[in-house]
Amino acid sequence: MGKKSTGSKIAHFFIYVVLILLAVMSILPFWVMFMNATRSTPEINANALGLLPSKYLWYNKSVFDGKSFDAMTGFINSMIISAGATALAVYFSSMTAYSIVAYRWKLRRPFFTFIMAVLMIPSQIISIGFYQMMYSVGMNNNFLPLIIPSIASPAVVFYMKQYMEPALPLEIVEAARIDGAGEFFTFNRIVIPIMKPAIATQAIFAFVNKWNELFIPSVLLTDSKKYTMPMMVSLLKGDLYKVEYGSIYLGLSLTVLPLFIVYFLLSKYIIAGVALGSVKG
Amino acid sequence: MKKKKGVSYAKWGYIFALPFCIAYLIFMIYPIFNTFTIGFTNMTDQVQMQIAQDKMIGIEPTVQVEVLENPMENYQFVLSDPNFWSSLKNTCIIWGVNFVPQILLALALAVLFTSNRSKIRGKGAFKVLFYMPNIITAATIAMLFTKLFDYNKGPVNDILRMLGVIDENINFFSMKGASRAIVAFVQFWMWYGYTMIILISGILGISPELFEAADIDGANGWQKFFYVTLPNLKSIMLFTLVTSMIGGMTMFDIPFMIGGQGGIKGHIRTLSVYIFEMSFTGGKLYNRASAASMLVFIMIAIMAAVIFFMLRDKDEAARHKIEKAQTKAYKKALKEQKAKGGVQ
């Protein structure tokens, strides 16, 4: 008995060692990034593995003055695109899911089958056709082609439908009708509030996915004033910053700082959302 | 009053589904069709510029975007382009090297975190940390890793030198194997937490009675894993496999951002990078890139079909049959009622 417990103690110890190593592996790259953002190039030259902050944050920031990398512009652009796209995605996906759950129309089942069939088609495969279409109507370098298509988000519709089916008793809808409520009124005032938890979860994922998107924005946006945050990162590859190591780390830190804040505030919900099988690209 | 009860709300189903359909038609179906067509034409940046130029001067365009004499020319070009095949090979290698360790580690962690016997403390915190890289911008992560593995001032070289593993700095990105391994590692590092959470929810979904029965039969931990956990996770593992494959086929951000660090592009050029480079840089050969896109599209469609048949649940189909019978009966009753009313 005693032997076994020492054996399992050792096993337990090893498990913790592995878990802690993996945790360190998750944190360390970002830690080095944030710390090096405050260190000067000579300091990084001497020892690139910065674990403690230094005092060159303002200097590193000043390097960006008047250059093309502009975190604030990137932040605002990404915010507009992500917020707009997220709002459209969750509202219209709820609406589409409602049409499937609440009404008995002839093409209901084929329609849902179709949504499941196209669930996995990635948008970058059609990028050339999409670009040519937007170019011909002069919509390149415009945010709308990055926002409006979110109205049709099959993955979000699928999730909303799965959530709505058990959560929304159709008796409530019937009752609203008897009280003389219009269909849109019922949807906006009764269904949307019931869907709040699902909307919140999907909003987080839609927002983060849009924020991180690189391919389609890189295709459509060529004006550096319109660049999104991930596109700003590619500017850091330029020769202008080649010798300013601290500034590169600072630039990288700035592009992901909002995500870290969101993640640590909402990690509980995010992980619960992943567990519910939110379909991600 | 009676008449109101019979009001059909079916039209509202169409109305509520309409925005989705319109948006999907414009922003997905049409671009697919467009990409498909461009694949058979001579559309390149050069041709488009020529047309624009001619129009500016005010003469009839001397060239036109038209279907090629041999419509399959672009496809033939792509299929005989060694870069296409090497991109496909790179994509498969990088995906495979990332996926195998990813699913094994995720499975081990999922079993560990759901096991009653080993009480792991701080499960929640570990889950939060393991999942974290998944939510951070891939472009930034790629750039960060190019800096971490940098030849001159990279922390990885510093650590290796400190540990005495190497005497001189290694130029990781000049090596074929190392640069692929770094891309694969980043993919692995970003996605194992996600896979772990999916598998945890899969294991929690297995009926506890099965585990209890195994306990009563005196099964040990390994037996329970191989005879209860694993067989019941089959479909969720297949789902993970196929979604990861589709994600792998369109892998772009990380190889694209890591690439361009001199001479290494060829080793880590994935299919998406190939298409992007062909269509949006240099000569902008939209037609050939479209043909390549359609080839990738076909590969993804086949994988998506697998997912589709898995997600389609059989109960739903059975329920649909009953529903249909019920509406039929309801309509019949309604008709009879109407007929009765007519007599009265």
Side-chain angles (χ1 to χ4, degrees):
Chain A
M1 195 64 203
K3 210 177 176 185
K4 200 183 171 191
S5 83
T6 28
S8 80
K9 253 182 198 166
I10 290 170
H12 230 79
F13 176 73
F14 265 106
I15 286 168
Y16 275 110
V17 168
V18 171
L19 290 179
I20 289 166
L21 278 177
L22 287 172
V24 169
M25 201 168 83
S26 282
I27 300 169
L28 192 63
F30 297 122
W31 185 264
V32 171
M33 175 180 78
F34 283 124
M35 291 307 125
N36 276 350
T38 67
R39 300 170 78 220
S40 69
T41 303
E43 279 176 331
I44 296 171
N45 266 338
N47 177 18
L49 185 69
L51 295 178
L52 294 169
S54 183
K55 48 187 191 283
Y56 293 91
L57 183 64
W58 289 112
Y59 169 75
N60 287 338
K61 196 189 153 290
S62 72
V63 171
F64 294 130
D65 290 345
K67 296 213 179 94
S68 51
F69 178 90
D70 183 351
M72 203 57 211
T73 308
F75 179 82
I76 293 168
N77 292 343
S78 280
M79 206 64 187
I80 295 169
I81 294 170
S82 307
T86 303
L88 292 183
V90 293
Y91 182 76
F92 284 102
S93 297
S94 303
M95 183 181 264
T96 314
Y98 185 63
S99 81
I100 298 168
V101 173
Y103 301 103
R104 298 284 167 270
W105 40 299
K106 223 179 200 165
L107 295 174
R108 187 179 75 102
R109 268 186 62 83
F111 180 59
F112 186 60
T113 309
F114 173 78
I115 285 178
M116 286 205 303
V118 298
L119 208 56
M120 287 297 176
I121 296 178
S123 56
Q124 42 179 274
I125 289 305
I126 54 139
S127 59
I128 298 163
F130 187 71
Y131 169 78
Q132 287 295 338
M133 174 174 114
M134 288 310 162
Y135 189 77
S136 65
V137 292
M139 293 290 265
N140 55 332
N141 277 323
N142 192 316
F143 291 158
L144 288 178
L146 296 167
I147 298 174
I148 309 282
S150 295
I151 291 174
S153 312
V156 186
V157 175
F158 182 73
Y159 181 91
M160 293 297 188
K161 188 239 169 202
Q162 300 300 82
Y163 183 90
M164 198 185 279
E165 231 156 31
L168 176 73
L170 290 178
E171 290 80 18
I172 295 183
V173 179
E174 291 286 336
R177 270 180 202 149
I178 290 167
D179 289 345
E183 298 300 305
F184 272 104
F185 184 89
T186 311
F187 174 71
N188 287 327
R189 293 301 171 81
I190 297 168
V191 179
I192 290 282
I194 290 175
M195 293 297 288
K196 255 184 197 160
I199 288 176
T201 311
Q202 284 305 298
I204 297 171
F205 285 107
F207 190 91
V208 170
N209 285 343
K210 204 71 196 174
W211 184 278
N212 289 339
E213 196 180 46
L214 179 65
F215 195 101
I216 300 288
S218 302
V219 167
L220 281 174
L221 307 173
T222 46
D223 177 3
S224 72
K225 287 212 172 53
K226 297 270 167 82
Y227 273 19
T228 62
M229 272 304 215
M231 291 173 74
M232 287 289 174
V233 175
S234 65
L235 289 177
L236 291 172
K237 275 161 81 169
D239 290 333
L240 276 175
Y241 312 101
K242 218 156 212 164
V243 286
E244 297 289 356
Y245 272 68
S247 300
I248 292 179
Y249 283 111
L250 176 63
L252 292 175
S253 305
L254 290 175
T255 60
V256 290
L257 198 60
L259 289 175
F260 274 101
I261 294 168
V262 168
Y263 186 58
F264 284 109
L265 289 177
L266 302 173
S267 60
K268 218 172 106 192
Y269 304 96
I270 291 173
I271 287 181
V274 177
L276 280 172
S278 98
V279 191
K280 263 187 93 174
Chain B
M1 221 38 220
K2 231 178 198 172
K3 230 182 186 174
K4 199 154 195 186
K5 252 188 183 172
V7 164
S8 165
Y9 287 96
K11 73 164 187 201
W12 286 97
Y14 291 98
I15 292 170
F16 278 100
L18 200 61
F20 177 96
C21 295
I22 294 173
Y24 201 81
L25 218 72
I26 297 174
F27 298 112
M28 202 74 191
I29 305 282
Y30 177 72
I32 291 180
F33 178 74
N34 209 357
T35 312
F36 180 72
T37 341
I38 292 171
F40 299 112
T41 65
N42 64 344
M43 187 191 275
T44 60
D45 194 45
Q46 201 191 345
V47 172
Q48 283 187 325
M49 292 298 232
Q50 187 66 47
I51 294 171
Q53 222 173 26
D54 291 344
K55 270 187 189 159
M56 254 203 340
I57 312 169
I59 55 168
E60 256 322 272
T62 45
V63 280
Q64 250 180 336
V65 173
E66 57 198 358
V67 176
L68 292 163
E69 222 168 274
N70 169 12
M72 298 311 285
E73 198 184 300
N74 295 319
Y75 284 87
Q76 282 161 1
F77 173 85
V78 170
L79 286 173
S80 61
D81 182 8
N83 278 342
F84 175 78
W85 293 106
S86 77
S87 304
L88 180 61
K89 195 180 123 197
N90 290 341
T91 311
C92 293
I93 291 175
I94 292 171
W95 176 79
V97 170
N98 119 71
F99 187 74
V100 174
Q102 181 192 319
I103 192 103
L104 291 178
L105 179 63
L107 192 59
L109 290 173
V111 170
L112 184 69
F113 284 167
T114 50
S115 148
N116 299 323
R117 210 178 283 165
S118 59
K119 291 255 178 299
I120 301 295
R121 268 184 230 182
K123 265 186 227 176
F126 282 124
K127 274 194 228 172
V128 168
L129 287 176
F130 295 169
Y131 180 70
M132 183 173 71
N134 192 261
I135 212 158
I136 305 302
T137 316
T140 301
I141 286 177
M143 192 64 187
L144 176 60
F145 273 82
T146 57
K147 289 295 147 214
L148 295 180
F149 281 91
D150 195 85
Y151 179 40
N152 293 320
K153 290 142 202 163
V156 174
N157 268 319
D158 277 11
I159 294 173
L160 290 177
R161 243 184 315 115
M162 249 176 348
L163 295 174
V165 181
I166 53 168
D167 295 324
E168 264 176 46
N169 281 3
I170 301 175
N171 190 352
F172 293 100
F173 293 110
S174 71
M175 296 187 290
K176 188 168 149 182
S179 48
R180 277 184 192 154
I182 290 169
V183 176
F185 173 77
V186 175
Q187 290 280 349
F188 159 82
W189 178 73
M190 281 185 77
W191 286 95
Y192 81 89
Y194 169 83
T195 309
M196 173 192 80
I197 292 170
I198 296 283
L199 292 179
I200 286 176
S201 72
I203 293 175
L204 293 178
I206 299 172
S207 159
E209 285 159 25
L210 290 176
F211 288 107
E212 279 160 26
D215 275 333
I216 292 166
D217 291 344
N220 65 28
W222 286 106
Q223 284 170 326
K224 270 195 280 184
F225 174 72
F226 280 109
Y227 295 109
V228 182
T229 313
L230 215 47
N232 282 295
L233 278 183
K234 224 193 255 162
S235 61
I236 209 156
M237 298 245 289
L238 188 64
F239 178 80
T240 316
L241 174 78
V242 183
T243 44
S244 168
M245 268 166 87
I246 294 174
M249 290 301 285
T250 53
M251 191 193 311
F252 174 75
D253 302 22
I254 291 164
F256 179 71
M257 291 304 263
I258 289 184
Q261 303 285 312
I264 54 154
K265 235 170 191 169
H267 307 143
I268 55 170
R269 184 193 288 119
T270 55
L271 285 170
S272 283
V273 177
Y274 173 82
I275 292 169
F276 186 89
E277 283 180 350
M278 196 177 235
S279 50
F280 300 109
T281 62
K284 299 192 179 175
L285 308 170
Y286 300 117
N287 51 355
R288 285 177 182 169
S290 293
S293 295
M294 287 331 279
L295 292 171
V296 176
F297 181 80
I298 292 166
M299 288 188 257
I300 288 175
I302 294 168
M303 293 175 208
V306 176
I307 290 268
F308 169 69
F309 283 108
M310 274 165 45
L311 281 180
R312 208 178 55 163
D313 80 78
K314 285 155 202 147
D315 304 346
E316 176 89 14
R319 231 183 300 148
H320 174 61
K321 255 186 192 164
I322 297 170
E323 209 173 78
K324 230 178 174 178
Q326 276 174 343
T327 24
K328 230 181 187 176
Y330 174 74
K331 272 186 187 161
K332 209 176 163 188
L334 213 68
K335 243 186 196 170
E336 273 169 19
Q337 212 176 18
K338 256 191 194 165
K340 253 191 210 165
V343 171
Q344 277 173 353

